[in-house]
Amino acid sequence: MARIAFILLCHKDPKGVIAQAKRLTASGDYVSIHFDGRANPRDFDLIRTALAGNPSVVFVRRRWKCGWGEWSLVGATLEAVRSAVEAFPQATHFYMLSGDCMPIKSAEYAHAFLDAEDCDYIESFDFFESDWIKTGFKEERLIYRHWFNERTRKWLFYTSYDLQKRFGLTRRIPADIQVMIGSQWWCLRRQTVEKVLEFCATRPDVLRFFATTWIPDETFFQTIVPHVVPRKEIRTRTLTYLVFTDYGMPVTFYNDHYDLLMGQNYLFARKISPEAIRLRERLGALWAASGVHFPISNEATGLFRFLTGQGRVGRRFGQRFWETEGSLGRANSLLLVVSKKWHVAKRLTAAIRRHSTIPAVDFLFNEQQAHLPDLGGVETTLEKRDRHRRALIRLLFEHFQSNQLVICLDPSALHLIQDLMSDKADTRLLLVDSQFDDDYLRGHIARVGLAGAQTAPEVVERLLPTVRADLEHEAERLRDMDFPGFQAIAPWRATEENAAQLARFLDVLPDTALKLAATEHLFSD
């Protein structure tokens, strides 16, 4: 009978990881856990303590600090595979999972499914001939070297790419391999995994090549497996069910999708919403069930395409994001930096990106260039961003794979601030107090169109007291709202006092907060 070693890559939700490991090992299977090296150490300690006595669980020796699109994801996977091969000699199959995956069949069904055919399950399409890549870089993923994370070090990523392109610094793909592409979620037989590891040990040139490609988790195993295994033994599909929206984001499943998921010809599904408690409970119980009949309809993908093409009300597959103003998520922390002097706020967010791992964007509802990543189109215009603002923020949490996010807002956007502060998420506000001298006020008057180049100076001078009072009143209105989690920094306060406010706002260590508060020329005009 098949015995599965699950390769579990995760970075959050320690309780969910523990429950997943206990559930999977209770069926006689095994779990090899890689918990992201960037994640909260307390979460990892909790997982290790809870699973320490389980002989069917192994932890990797080396934890990689993972980043989307980086080799680190492949490195972490290989580390977990090596640990599983060594620790579980009776494992017949190795199955890639994430912390967001849940079973949609019973263990009994999964074992029988894998016993029925001696083959590997992995998407493996020709990199150049297939249309698997819909938009963006294609051959550029391979022929140029990518040393920097596109999401966290965007300027370095694109500057490096532009320089290589300008000077023709391309490279050759190893001559004896055919690059393939597909989903990172696979299920491989033991003999295949051992051949892959042997290949890695004897071909460091291929590893070096893939280590500087972009998004290698979609190409490495997909290329190596058909290189070491006959094509007739490979089924070019994944056993994990997932659907992508037309914005390139994975569809999230909710409580009312249980019957639909059971009817798909897959063993697991992702992504299951963390808020879908009832669905998680039912799917967890399903894995341990016996004698369950699963009529396969495979209707879900076609139904999703039809409904999203038509537009609809309801949540059979979750509402499209522009149709809902739903919560940002109870587990998320939205950190609002509110400042009239935009340049001061942007200096602070730049410092946050430099000194911490918290993702920070600038005035995303006011400026076209706001340190935003590519989100598939919703970020392209300010009108789109404002119309789908909660969906945009949720996409940012998803993109950065973080439960914290800093954004900048102008204090005049009181309705937006009130709206976000009333969300179920942990929403905090940092007011950057400012002093408005006459030169700043004259510039502000010009920027907002109260006066133009031809306006008489005496008219501008008469406007100064009114505009100053209005700007000061904006800050007072925010204070009067008595928001929970309200903090404030100011140029007239001591660095240590500002650091204390920043530490509470960002939930960072005092040393980090002090570095932020001491940012050179932070409050300068």
Side-chain angles (χ1 to χ4, degrees), residues 288-493:
S290 60
V292 180
H293 175 60
F294 295 93
I296 303 300
S297 64
N298 274 337
E299 65 172 318
T301 302
L303 183 59
F304 174 78
R305 298 298 175 208
F306 172 76
L307 291 175
T308 54
Q310 296 293 314
R312 82 284 188 207
V313 177
R315 294 191 63 177
R316 177 63 171 173
F317 258 81
Q319 292 170 299
R320 301 182 88 177
F321 64 76
W322 55 79
E323 296 176 338
T324 182
E325 290 291 316
S327 170
L328 302 175
R330 292 182 186 274
N332 292 329
S333 293
L334 180 62
L335 310 172
L336 310 180
V337 174
V338 181
S339 176
K340 199 65 192 180
K341 293 187 175 180
W342 293 8
H343 55 281
V344 177
K346 287 191 279 190
R347 283 192 200 119
L348 180 58
T349 53
I352 291 170
R353 290 189 290 268
R354 190 164 59 249
H355 295 299
S356 78
T357 60
I358 302 173
V361 299
D362 299 331
F363 288 84
L364 71 167
F365 299 115
N366 302 96
E367 293 185 305
Q368 187 66 33
Q369 299 300 323
H371 215 87
L372 282 176
D374 182 356
L375 296 173
V378 71
E379 82 289 352
T380 52
T381 67
L382 294 177
E383 180 183 3
K384 274 188 176 182
R385 294 180 201 172
D386 187 62
R387 189 165 66 246
H388 315 310
R389 56 180 181 262
R390 286 185 181 235
L392 172 65
I393 294 171
R394 290 202 68 148
L395 283 176
L396 287 170
F397 279 118
E398 188 72 33
H399 176 94
F400 290 119
Q401 297 183 352
S402 171
N403 64 351
Q404 289 181 290
L405 174 67
V406 176
I407 69 172
C408 298
L409 297 175
D410 190 284
S412 63
L414 186 62
H415 68 289
L416 175 56
I417 295 170
Q418 288 177 300
D419 181 38
L420 296 176
M421 291 297 293
S422 65
D423 195 270
K424 296 176 183 176
D426 172 26
T427 309
R428 307 174 204 168
L429 189 153
L430 176 74
L431 175 64
V432 182
D433 274 317
S434 301
Q435 292 174 319
F436 305 111
D437 60 26
D438 288 353
D439 286 340
Y440 175 85
L441 293 174
R442 292 186 187 97
H444 178 75
I445 287 170
R447 285 190 294 273
V448 299
L450 287 176
Q454 307 304 318
T455 304
E458 57 268 28
V459 174
V460 175
E461 294 301 311
R462 285 200 297 270
L463 287 172
L464 292 180
T466 302
V467 172
R468 176 181 282 108
D470 183 65
L471 297 186
E472 292 173 350
H473 179 61
E474 286 179 352
E476 288 306 310
R477 283 192 306 172
L478 288 174
R479 286 188 168 84
D480 291 341
M481 297 300 295
D482 198 25
F483 290 125
F486 180 94
Q487 310 293 334
I489 60 173
W492 54 83
R493 290 178 178 165

Side-chain angles (χ1 to χ4, degrees), residues 21-41:
K22 289 182 176 179
R23 177 189 311 118
L24 297 175
T25 55
S27 60
D29 297 305
Y30 311 101
V31 177
S32 177
I33 297 176
H34 180 280
F35 197 72
D36 194 341
R38 297 184 191 276
N40 189 328

Side-chain angles (χ1 to χ4, degrees), residues 99-118:
D100 293 322
C101 296
M102 289 291 291
I104 56 173
K105 297 291 185 294
S106 63
E108 179 184 70
Y109 181 99
H111 294 150
F113 183 97
L114 295 177
D115 282 335
E117 193 172 7
D118 187 23

